[in-house]
Amino acid sequence: MLKRLLNFLFPQQCIHCHKVIEQKFLCDECFKTIKFTDDHLYPTSSQCYARLVDELGIKVGMSMCFFNKETAIQSLMHCLKYGKKPKIGTWIGRMYGEKLLYYHFEKSFDVMIPIPLHKDRFKTRGYNQSYMFAKGMSDILHIPVEENAVIRTRNTMSQTTKPRAERFENVKGAFAIVDPNKIKDKNVLLIDDTITTGATLISCGKEILKCQPKNLSVVTICVAVD
Ligand SMILES: [Zn+2]
């Protein structure tokens, strides 16, 4: 009753086209425009894998969907990062968790490590979007999320407007390991929101590799394509 009244007074809107909807976040039409990858079928032929394997020697690399500007996925990612809507992260994390469970990935990883935010950015944002996504996946796959094994020591500038070479320079040495025992001899799954050049994942991944995990894999929500 209260829920219906609240819906009447404050109707939920699609975050992309602003149509009034019953469900969360996106209307059916906008949801259908999201282009999901087949990375779960070919986790060593993906864009994510190709961008990271030389530097990190990852076991598998998967992105849930392709990132396209001016589309519903951009609105979704924008709201997840800047719109104080952490539940978008758990929602899509569960969705991807279901897919990975169906393809038996639940035994492939021992621990999930979301790319950490610097504590100042965490304070302004209120949550880590990559943690929320990992948490959603964890609800389905029952793989623990380790939030405090790695920290971000420098509050790096946003990467989005930087050219490729600067992106790598910008995040160099930006991460530090706090608890190597959470990593050593584990099948580690590193989680990020979007992979573009891979600079952030490579910088963080290199620190993780110093702690001798059994192996390292990567999952991202989006993969940016030119
Ligand atoms: Zn819509």
Side-chain angles (χ1 to χ4, degrees):
M1 184 66 194
L2 180 65
K3 201 176 166 194
R4 279 173 69 177
L5 180 67
L6 284 172
N7 272 344
F8 177 73
L9 293 172
F10 309 102
Q12 294 204 70
Q13 290 183 327
C14 171
I15 57 173
H16 186 63
C17 73
H18 307 293
K19 195 168 82 181
V20 174
I21 48 174
E22 296 281 324
Q23 75 269 36
K24 294 251 184 229
F25 309 122
L26 286 175
C27 72
D28 292 343
E29 287 74 27
C30 288
F31 184 82
K32 277 184 211 152
T33 66
I34 295 177
K35 291 190 169 55
F36 291 92
T37 73
D38 283 336
D39 291 359
H40 54 289
L41 300 176
Y42 313 103
T44 56
S45 304
S46 62
Q47 283 282 329
C48 178
Y49 184 82
R51 290 176 202 183
L52 302 174
V53 69
D54 287 350
E55 296 272 7
L56 299 177
I58 52 170
K59 188 176 152 204
V60 300
M62 299 182 277
S63 305
M64 184 177 87
C65 56
F66 296 103
F67 183 85
N68 292 296
K69 281 189 179 148
E70 319 295 332
T71 63
I73 192 67
Q74 185 181 30
S75 302
L76 201 64
M77 295 306 284
H78 189 86
C79 276
L80 171 61
K81 286 172 84 166
Y82 309 110
K84 306 263 182 225
K85 291 193 190 304
K87 283 186 177 168
I88 290 176
T90 41
W91 174 56
I92 52 181
R94 280 189 200 130
M95 202 156 55
Y96 203 44
E98 295 283 1
K99 186 173 269 181
L100 296 187
L101 184 69
Y102 187 82
Y103 288 92
H104 307 295
F105 279 97
E106 74 279 9
K107 291 190 177 69
S108 303
F109 316 114
D110 301 317
V111 61
M112 292 196 265
I113 297 183
I115 292 278
L117 296 180
H118 187 268
K119 61 179 185 335
D120 294 346
R121 182 148 325 155
F122 184 87
K123 230 176 241 173
T124 38
R125 194 167 292 174
Y127 58 91
N128 174 353
Q129 70 280 0
S130 298
Y131 171 80
M132 298 313 294
F133 178 66
K135 176 75 179 53
M137 285 177 62
S138 173
D139 289 347
I140 306 298
L141 298 169
H142 303 292
I143 299 164
V145 185
E146 196 48 68
E147 220 188 341
N148 303 311
V150 187
I151 55 161
R152 200 160 187 141
T153 51
R154 278 195 293 121
N155 198 2
T156 51
M157 305 285 279
S158 168
Q159 295 274 75
T160 46
T161 57
K162 289 193 184 302
R164 187 184 161 82
E166 276 181 42
R167 284 174 178 241
F168 281 88
E169 204 50 47
N170 190 34
V171 289
K172 219 171 167 183
F175 299 94
I177 305 295
V178 178
D179 191 348
N181 291 324
K182 300 264 165 68
I183 294 166
K184 196 175 180 344
D185 298 325
K186 300 265 169 71
N187 297 297
V188 175
L189 180 59
L190 186 58
I191 310 270
D192 201 1
D193 50 62
T194 303
I195 177 167
T196 307
T197 58
T200 307
L201 282 157
I202 288 169
S203 178
C204 187
K206 279 185 173 172
E207 294 304 314
I208 289 175
L209 289 176
K210 288 178 190 168
C211 304
Q212 298 168 304
K214 195 181 282 175
N215 56 61
L216 179 64
S217 296
V218 170
V219 159
T220 70
I221 304 173
C222 291
V223 53
V225 279
D226 299 326

